[in-house]
Amino acid sequence: DVQLQASGGGVVQAGESLRLSCVVSGFTLDEDKEYGIGWYRQAPGKEREGIACFSTSDVDTYYSESVKGRFTISSDNAKNTVYLQMNGLKPEDTAVYYCGLGYSDYGEETCIYESAVSYWGVGTLVTVSS
């Protein structure tokens, strides 16, 4: 079974940084394989949104406008882990953060369409206080 486990959430003050980790099991992250993977979040009372995604078939990494320039997605295939470095956190970044894995050829598609995600991880809560 493919499983994703997100961790690294917590309570921080505005302006601080956090790094989230998503450990993947049952699927080997390898740039020679075709898959899309990314980070998503769901704030209280809002729908889940894709914020940072890439596909091994796509040269571009997608970031939503709300996080562009502040968040960075990266992958350590040796550890089968995907990270989300979050800098300059704002209270509006408060949400449950999830990682998702699918088979889209495009990072943007992986983020925009939930149907592009085949596997969801358990979320981790990030709370940013003002």
Side-chain angles (χ1 to χ4, degrees), residues 5-25:
Q5 180 66 57
S7 63
V11 181
V12 297
Q13 293 190 333
E16 294 184 341
S17 299
L18 272 178
R19 188 178 77 159
L20 305 183
S21 301
C22 174
V23 178
V24 181
S25 59

Side-chain angles (χ1 to χ4, degrees), residues 26-71:
F27 182 92
T28 301
L29 300 182
D30 183 338
E31 61 185 16
D32 291 331
K33 296 171 69 172
E34 295 180 350
Y35 59 87
I37 194 165
W39 287 94
Y40 307 76
R41 67 185 183 186
Q42 186 167 21
K46 295 188 177 181
E47 293 187 353
R48 183 161 53 189
E49 62 169 335
I51 57 173
C53 301
F54 69 86
S55 168
T56 55
S57 303
D58 189 358
V59 296
D60 295 323
T61 298
Y62 171 84
Y63 292 97
S64 67
E65 287 299 320
S66 58
V67 307
K68 192 177 292 184
R70 299 187 298 124
F71 292 10

Side-chain angles (χ1 to χ4, degrees), residues 51-121:
I51 57 173
C53 301
F54 69 86
S55 168
T56 55
S57 303
D58 189 358
V59 296
D60 295 323
T61 298
Y62 171 84
Y63 292 97
S64 67
E65 287 299 320
S66 58
V67 307
K68 192 177 292 184
R70 299 187 298 124
F71 292 10
T72 303
I73 185 172
S74 63
S75 178
D76 185 338
N77 292 351
K79 296 182 178 180
N80 232 42
T81 300
V82 176
Y83 301 99
L84 183 68
Q85 178 66 44
M86 305 186 295
N87 298 329
L89 283 161
K90 305 175 181 180
E92 52 263 44
D93 294 318
T94 294
V96 177
Y97 284 71
Y98 302 87
C99 48
L101 170 68
Y103 301 101
S104 172
D105 289 337
Y106 303 100
E108 182 173 0
E109 187 174 88
T110 302
C111 260
I112 297 297
Y113 301 108
E114 289 211 356
S115 59
V117 177
S118 300
Y119 308 99
W120 289 101

